[in-house]
Each structure stands twice: as C-alpha cells, then as structure tokens.
Amino acid sequence: VAVVLLCLYAVLEARPSDSPDAHAEIRSFVNELKQDDGSYNYQFETSNGIAQQEQGVGGYYASGSSQYYTPEGQLIQLTYTADENGFQPQGEHLPTPHPIPEAILKSLEWNRNHPEEAEEEYAHGQEHGHGHGHGHGHAQEPAKQYLQPAVNALLAPAPAPAVAVAVGGSGLPYDRKL
C-alpha cells in the first residue's frame, strides 16, 4: 500500500503545472533577414503576455523592446538600443544612478567654463613628468605612489625607483623578494 501511495504521489508531482506559463502558446512570430544589407527584424508574442521585437543591422545597430509579467502580475517593459555607444536599456524597473553631488557638478561647470586653464595645467604636468594632470594646482614635485597601510613589514612600499631583485631569474623591475 505504501508503494502504491508513493507512486501516486510521484505521478501527481510529475504532471504539468497549471500555471499560465506552462500552457503558453506562440500567438505571432516573424523573423526576416535581408541578405543585401544585413538588416533584420524579428518579433514574437505569446499567450501569457511575453513579447519581444528587435530590428537592426547585424553587427552595427539594434533596437527593440520586450515585455513580460512577473509572478506577482507586474508588467515589466524594456526598450533598448545597441550601437557604437554600447547597449542602452530603458525601463521603469531598472535601477537609476545616484544623483551627482553638488560639489562635483560645480567642478565640472568650472572646468567647462575654464578650458584654457585645464589645458595649461595638463601641459605643465607633461613638461615636468607628472603624467596626465592628476592632482590639483601646479605641484612642483613628482607624484607619489601610496599603498594601503602595511599589515606587516613585508607589505611596505618599495623605494622609488624600484630596484630589480631577481625572483625566479626574470630580473623584471616589479619582481621583489618577500
């Protein structure tokens, strides 16, 4: 009797789900490719509210949209473009970035209104080997590299300029014996 009940339970668990997704059917489907210019278009829609469409030119540009319902019944809609600027999705469900702090906005505005000063600082840094204008003002000493505070003496920063210590015989400037 226990074996029969166990088999009956297994049959009931193995049957298809009664959810709308388990019985969804394709309502429409289009898939077109033009060989002459590489453009394409596809779209489909299912009976449970899933829909997708996209058009573009293979390898160069695409735009489209999709939608579906969450298990809670919320409609999720996404539109997107993909081109030389990358993939750019849009949708109410997507997270949005934090606002840019006011101090950064003011700094960007100042830089936009004073491009000649930024160019002079960049040129000054290049003349003195300071790299690409990192830092503020017109520093007269070389930029310093900083590491996280050392947990023990083995992690202390190497003196500048780095001296090669052969580890494994390669003798590269970044090799250091620990």
mmCIF file of all heavy atoms in Angstrom, residues 150-170:
data_model
loop_
_atom_site.group_PDB
_atom_site.id
_atom_site.type_symbol
_atom_site.label_atom_id
_atom_site.label_comp_id
_atom_site.label_asym_id
_atom_site.label_seq_id
_atom_site.Cartn_x
_atom_site.Cartn_y
_atom_site.Cartn_z
ATOM 1 N N ALA A 150 50.558 49.093 5.670
ATOM 2 C CA ALA A 150 51.132 47.752 5.732
ATOM 3 C C ALA A 150 50.663 47.023 6.981
ATOM 4 O O ALA A 150 50.649 47.575 8.077
ATOM 5 C CB ALA A 150 52.649 47.848 5.725
ATOM 6 N N VAL A 151 50.272 45.772 6.797
ATOM 7 C CA VAL A 151 49.884 44.926 7.927
ATOM 8 C C VAL A 151 51.145 44.440 8.611
ATOM 9 O O VAL A 151 51.219 44.353 9.821
ATOM 10 C CB VAL A 151 49.031 43.724 7.448
ATOM 11 C CG1 VAL A 151 48.736 42.780 8.584
ATOM 12 C CG2 VAL A 151 47.768 44.225 6.798
ATOM 13 N N ASN A 152 52.164 44.155 7.830
ATOM 14 C CA ASN A 152 53.460 43.801 8.390
ATOM 15 C C ASN A 152 54.540 44.363 7.475
ATOM 16 O O ASN A 152 54.258 44.902 6.418
ATOM 17 C CB ASN A 152 53.589 42.285 8.583
ATOM 18 C CG ASN A 152 53.429 41.530 7.274
ATOM 19 O OD1 ASN A 152 53.907 41.978 6.239
ATOM 20 N ND2 ASN A 152 52.748 40.399 7.327
ATOM 21 N N ALA A 153 55.754 44.236 7.843
ATOM 22 C CA ALA A 153 56.855 44.850 7.104
ATOM 23 C C ALA A 153 56.995 44.298 5.692
ATOM 24 O O ALA A 153 57.561 44.947 4.828
ATOM 25 C CB ALA A 153 58.165 44.665 7.871
ATOM 26 N N LEU A 154 56.500 43.105 5.430
ATOM 27 C CA LEU A 154 56.624 42.529 4.102
ATOM 28 C C LEU A 154 55.788 43.269 3.068
ATOM 29 O O LEU A 154 56.041 43.184 1.878
ATOM 30 C CB LEU A 154 56.216 41.052 4.123
ATOM 31 C CG LEU A 154 57.126 40.127 4.902
ATOM 32 C CD1 LEU A 154 56.560 38.724 4.895
ATOM 33 C CD2 LEU A 154 58.530 40.141 4.322
ATOM 34 N N LEU A 155 54.783 44.014 3.496
ATOM 35 C CA LEU A 155 53.921 44.714 2.557
ATOM 36 C C LEU A 155 54.280 46.187 2.396
ATOM 37 O O LEU A 155 53.561 46.935 1.778
ATOM 38 C CB LEU A 155 52.458 44.587 3.004
ATOM 39 C CG LEU A 155 51.903 43.170 3.039
ATOM 40 C CD1 LEU A 155 50.486 43.180 3.561
ATOM 41 C CD2 LEU A 155 51.949 42.526 1.672
ATOM 42 N N ALA A 156 55.376 46.617 2.956
ATOM 43 C CA ALA A 156 55.768 48.026 2.870
ATOM 44 C C ALA A 156 56.071 48.391 1.433
ATOM 45 O O ALA A 156 56.553 47.566 0.659
ATOM 46 C CB ALA A 156 57.000 48.274 3.747
ATOM 47 N N PRO A 157 55.808 49.660 1.028
ATOM 48 C CA PRO A 157 56.063 50.066 -0.354
ATOM 49 C C PRO A 157 57.551 50.020 -0.676
ATOM 50 O O PRO A 157 58.397 50.262 0.165
ATOM 51 C CB PRO A 157 55.522 51.486 -0.425
ATOM 52 C CG PRO A 157 55.275 51.913 0.960
ATOM 53 C CD PRO A 157 55.250 50.700 1.830
ATOM 54 N N ALA A 158 57.834 49.713 -1.924
ATOM 55 C CA ALA A 158 59.217 49.678 -2.389
ATOM 56 C C ALA A 158 59.701 51.098 -2.585
ATOM 57 O O ALA A 158 58.935 51.977 -2.948
ATOM 58 C CB ALA A 158 59.298 48.904 -3.694
ATOM 59 N N PRO A 159 60.991 51.353 -2.342
ATOM 60 C CA PRO A 159 61.516 52.702 -2.579
ATOM 61 C C PRO A 159 61.511 53.003 -4.070
ATOM 62 O O PRO A 159 61.620 52.110 -4.886
ATOM 63 C CB PRO A 159 62.946 52.632 -2.031
ATOM 64 C CG PRO A 159 63.292 51.173 -2.055
ATOM 65 C CD PRO A 159 62.007 50.434 -1.844
ATOM 66 N N ALA A 160 61.372 54.279 -4.404
ATOM 67 C CA ALA A 160 61.398 54.673 -5.811
ATOM 68 C C ALA A 160 62.786 55.174 -6.137
ATOM 69 O O ALA A 160 63.380 55.898 -5.348
ATOM 70 C CB ALA A 160 60.366 55.753 -6.069
ATOM 71 N N PRO A 161 63.398 54.876 -7.231
ATOM 72 C CA PRO A 161 62.923 53.945 -8.247
ATOM 73 C C PRO A 161 63.102 52.507 -7.768
ATOM 74 O O PRO A 161 64.001 52.217 -7.003
ATOM 75 C CB PRO A 161 63.799 54.253 -9.459
ATOM 76 C CG PRO A 161 65.068 54.777 -8.877
ATOM 77 C CD PRO A 161 64.674 55.506 -7.615
ATOM 78 N N ALA A 162 62.259 51.638 -8.308
ATOM 79 C CA ALA A 162 62.293 50.241 -7.915
ATOM 80 C C ALA A 162 63.555 49.588 -8.436
ATOM 81 O O ALA A 162 63.997 49.848 -9.541
ATOM 82 C CB ALA A 162 61.063 49.511 -8.446
ATOM 83 N N VAL A 163 64.158 48.768 -7.614
ATOM 84 C CA VAL A 163 65.363 48.041 -7.999
ATOM 85 C C VAL A 163 64.962 46.602 -8.229
ATOM 86 O O VAL A 163 64.273 46.001 -7.414
ATOM 87 C CB VAL A 163 66.433 48.132 -6.889
ATOM 88 C CG1 VAL A 163 67.645 47.296 -7.248
ATOM 89 C CG2 VAL A 163 66.804 49.575 -6.648
ATOM 90 N N ALA A 164 65.389 46.059 -9.326
ATOM 91 C CA ALA A 164 65.020 44.686 -9.653
ATOM 92 C C ALA A 164 65.755 43.719 -8.746
ATOM 93 O O ALA A 164 66.957 43.831 -8.544
ATOM 94 C CB ALA A 164 65.354 44.384 -11.102
ATOM 95 N N VAL A 165 65.022 42.807 -8.181
ATOM 96 C CA VAL A 165 65.580 41.713 -7.413
ATOM 97 C C VAL A 165 65.125 40.457 -8.123
ATOM 98 O O VAL A 165 63.930 40.219 -8.254
ATOM 99 C CB VAL A 165 65.082 41.723 -5.947
ATOM 100 C CG1 VAL A 165 65.588 40.517 -5.212
ATOM 101 C CG2 VAL A 165 65.479 43.013 -5.281
ATOM 102 N N ALA A 166 66.044 39.687 -8.587
ATOM 103 C CA ALA A 166 65.682 38.515 -9.383
ATOM 104 C C ALA A 166 64.975 37.487 -8.526
ATOM 105 O O ALA A 166 65.505 37.028 -7.533
ATOM 106 C CB ALA A 166 66.925 37.914 -10.011
ATOM 107 N N VAL A 167 63.740 37.200 -8.914
ATOM 108 C CA VAL A 167 62.971 36.137 -8.295
ATOM 109 C C VAL A 167 62.661 35.182 -9.418
ATOM 110 O O VAL A 167 61.958 35.531 -10.352
ATOM 111 C CB VAL A 167 61.677 36.671 -7.648
ATOM 112 C CG1 VAL A 167 60.852 35.516 -7.100
ATOM 113 C CG2 VAL A 167 61.992 37.674 -6.573
ATOM 114 N N GLY A 168 63.182 34.002 -9.347
ATOM 115 C CA GLY A 168 62.968 33.060 -10.426
ATOM 116 C C GLY A 168 63.796 33.405 -11.662
ATOM 117 O O GLY A 168 63.546 32.923 -12.736
ATOM 118 N N GLY A 169 64.748 34.319 -11.525
ATOM 119 C CA GLY A 169 65.668 34.598 -12.602
ATOM 120 C C GLY A 169 65.179 35.576 -13.652
ATOM 121 O O GLY A 169 65.877 35.840 -14.606
ATOM 122 N N SER A 170 63.985 36.167 -13.512
ATOM 123 C CA SER A 170 63.499 37.042 -14.578
ATOM 124 C C SER A 170 64.105 38.428 -14.505
ATOM 125 O O SER A 170 64.324 39.069 -15.510
ATOM 126 C CB SER A 170 61.973 37.128 -14.536
ATOM 127 O OG SER A 170 61.559 37.840 -13.393
#
